[in-house]
Amino acid sequence: MAQTIESVSSRAQTPFKNAPLIDFNKPENRQAQMEALEQVRSELGQTHPLIIGGKKITNQDTFASINPSQPDQVIGYFARATVEQVNEAVQAAATAFESWKRVPAEERAGYLFAASDLLQQRRFYYNAWMIYEVGKSWVEADADTAEAIDFMEFYAREMLRLAGEQPLVRIEGEDNQLVYIPLGVGAVIPPWNFPGAIMAGMTSASIVAGNTVVLKPASTSPMIAWQFVRILEEIGLPGGVVNFLTGSGSAIGDALIEHLQVRFIAFTGSRDVGLRINELAAKPREGQRWLKRTILEMGGKDAVVVDETADLDAAADGIVASAFGFQGQKCSAGSRAIIVEQVYDQVLQKVIEKTKQLKLGDVTQPDTYMGPVVDENALKKITDYIEIGKKEGDLVAGGGHHGPGYFIEPTVIANLGPYARIAQEEIFGPVLAVIKAKDFDDALHIANATEYGLTGSLYSRDQQRIERAKEEYFVGNLYFNRKSTGALVGVHPFGGFNMSGTDSKAGGRDYLLLFTQAKAISAKKQGPDTRREGTGE
Ligand code: NDP
């Protein structure tokens, strides 16, 4: 189903636009989402194989993906891949690379356009799987699907730009050219929190650049990845280009990362796993012929800063949306609110009121704002942090949790010191740490005083402070007078500083360079050599 070169070229000429979100106020859209939820309900509990070299492989040893809203409901069973199967998957990817790297960029882009179209057709269905598998609200699920579509549309166009003639300085007597060639086999290791967007984004960037991959989805969201690889299969992507390997990262991760034929690792996830991958990948093994490239996007402890000039209602709205969207399980979540003394009490009061209005509950219903956290481990970790926070500061909203799913109330802990544990460590749940700053300078200092540097936002009407924040607020994605979440592909290239990762800027024009290597090709023309000697020769 790959598209013709002509249709790809003409589509690529239409400028990229973000996919609009579904308007669930429209009855027909509500109806369609409800029907998709029904359909998915009838497909729960099936067993799904690995896909290696285009072949489906069923293992006896499986694990269950469960619905965090209702833990006795199995979303699906997935194979626990063995280390031998890791080796087979890498081998299949290496074999496929030999032909895939020769497929013209237009054709590769065509596969992404075709996958994007099919995902758009299946939009409600795909949303429904996310609602069940990771507990996203309708709106959050749809934004995730929209972002997956955006990544494919954006990277397809980007690859065509990179495949075109690159601007070089011309000299007499030589023809010079710069081409971007693929790296080889990649390990793609996404997190569960954007199980559609980040998984599809890292996979599609890899393959459109001419690489082949082993995709190992997060163990709490294998179904979303399965639905995506089904789409790739249906559009006729050649076998072996994307190999689907489920299983626990701690059991098979090392074998995948250390494999001699793995040339790069595209990872998004926690700080500790990212650091481990970085270390393992850096160590050459006997017979290894390259430096393994790592693209690592990790955690955050993002802040929303409010000064005394800000629109305080807008600031409180922004704090609450940043802290509690998808239960605070976003790397960009504004898990710290840093408010200057002069307006601290006012803003805190508004935040408490708005937090108490959030609807926590059944995400299969359209008006629910928050659902469960992803699994029992997350529940335990987050509730432990709430206990720590209660000692470090004052619990002013939420704090409770209830079953049978993993539901935690949106929780606000105020009057914390900037170095309190819950103001420093990534909790990855619906817990907001509120910190009082003496003034703007102090607030900026506190905002920068963590080991992370992913997103940050500032609510202020003071233009001089905004200019200062542009220079001094040390984050990869800085926002003014808006929430810290909700980066859009192409609009807000996304990635962070410090322990937040390699600042790879997903959804930006630099991103595909990470999945390629540039080859400069020079041919002497007939006639006298007019070239000057340069350095580095
Ligand atoms: P984890 O680090 O726990 O897992 C991420 C992926 O790594 C999963 O596929 C996981 O597999 C795998 N993995 C786990 N252990 C290993 C290992 N030893 N070797 C190789 N792979 C391994 O993160 P989460 O899935 O819990 O995601 C949440 C984290 O992701 C948060 O820290 C969040 O901030 C960060 N994140 C960062 C983003 C960014 O752009 N900077 C965006 C989104 C999330 P398995 O599930 O089987 O353990």
Side-chain angles (χ1 to χ4, degrees), residues 195-265:
I198 295 180
M199 178 275 308
M202 294 197 299
T203 306
S204 59
S206 301
I207 64 174
V208 80
N211 306 291
T212 55
V213 304
V214 176
L215 165 62
K216 194 221 84 66
S219 297
T220 30
S221 59
M223 181 58 93
I224 312 300
W226 169 254
Q227 295 299 334
F228 179 68
V229 295
R230 272 188 54 205
I231 287 177
L232 298 182
E233 196 178 50
E234 281 176 52
I235 61 162
L237 188 76
V241 175
V242 173
N243 299 278
F244 177 70
L245 204 76
T246 45
S248 152
S250 54
I252 56 173
D254 288 7
L256 182 57
I257 291 149
E258 290 177 338
H259 197 291
L260 279 184
Q261 280 169 289
V262 168
R263 171 69 173 81
F264 70 96
I265 298 113

Side-chain angles (χ1 to χ4, degrees), residues 298-375:
M298 293 141 62
K301 191 72 196 175
D302 313 308
V304 178
V305 172
V306 184
D307 80 4
E308 71 283 9
T309 70
D311 172 337
L312 302 188
D313 283 307
D317 281 336
I319 289 172
V320 171
S322 305
F324 300 123
F326 188 37
Q327 294 80 269
Q329 301 172 118
K330 295 184 186 178
C331 52
S332 55
S335 55
R336 293 181 299 155
I338 304 168
I339 307 166
V340 300
E341 208 166 51
Q342 218 174 319
V343 293
Y344 180 85
D345 290 339
Q346 271 170 281
V347 177
L348 178 58
Q349 202 46 46
K350 289 176 194 289
V351 167
I352 293 170
E353 279 159 24
K354 288 173 194 291
T355 300
K356 287 184 173 162
Q357 285 161 17
L358 298 178
K359 192 168 167 207
L360 170 70
D362 181 0
V363 281
T364 63
Q365 296 306 309
D367 301 321
T368 303
Y369 183 78
M370 282 176 65
V373 299
V374 77
D375 64 8

Side-chain angles (χ1 to χ4, degrees), residues 189-193 198 216-220 247-250 253-254 257 267-271 273 276-277 297-300 331 426 428 454 494 500:
I189 308 178
W192 52 266
N193 72 324
I198 295 180
K216 194 221 84 66
S219 297
T220 30
S248 152
S250 54
D254 288 7
I257 291 149
F267 166 83
T268 306
S270 61
R271 170 194 180 279
V273 175
R276 179 179 172 81
I277 291 175
E297 289 310 306
M298 293 141 62
C331 52
E426 189 184 42
F428 221 57
L454 187 46
F494 190 79
S500 292

Side-chain angles (χ1 to χ4, degrees), residues 269-273 275 297-303 331 333 335-336 381 385 421 423-428 446-456 473-476 495-501:
S270 61
R271 170 194 180 279
D272 290 355
V273 175
L275 286 177
E297 289 310 306
M298 293 141 62
K301 191 72 196 175
D302 313 308
C331 52
S335 55
R336 293 181 299 155
K381 178 179 161 197
Y385 269 117
R421 277 188 67 191
Q424 287 287 319
E425 297 170 21
E426 189 184 42
I427 299 172
F428 221 57
I446 295 170
N448 284 334
T450 76
E451 64 179 352
Y452 295 107
L454 187 46
T455 72
Y473 203 154
F474 198 66
V475 291
F497 301 159
N498 297 343
M499 283 296 176
S500 292

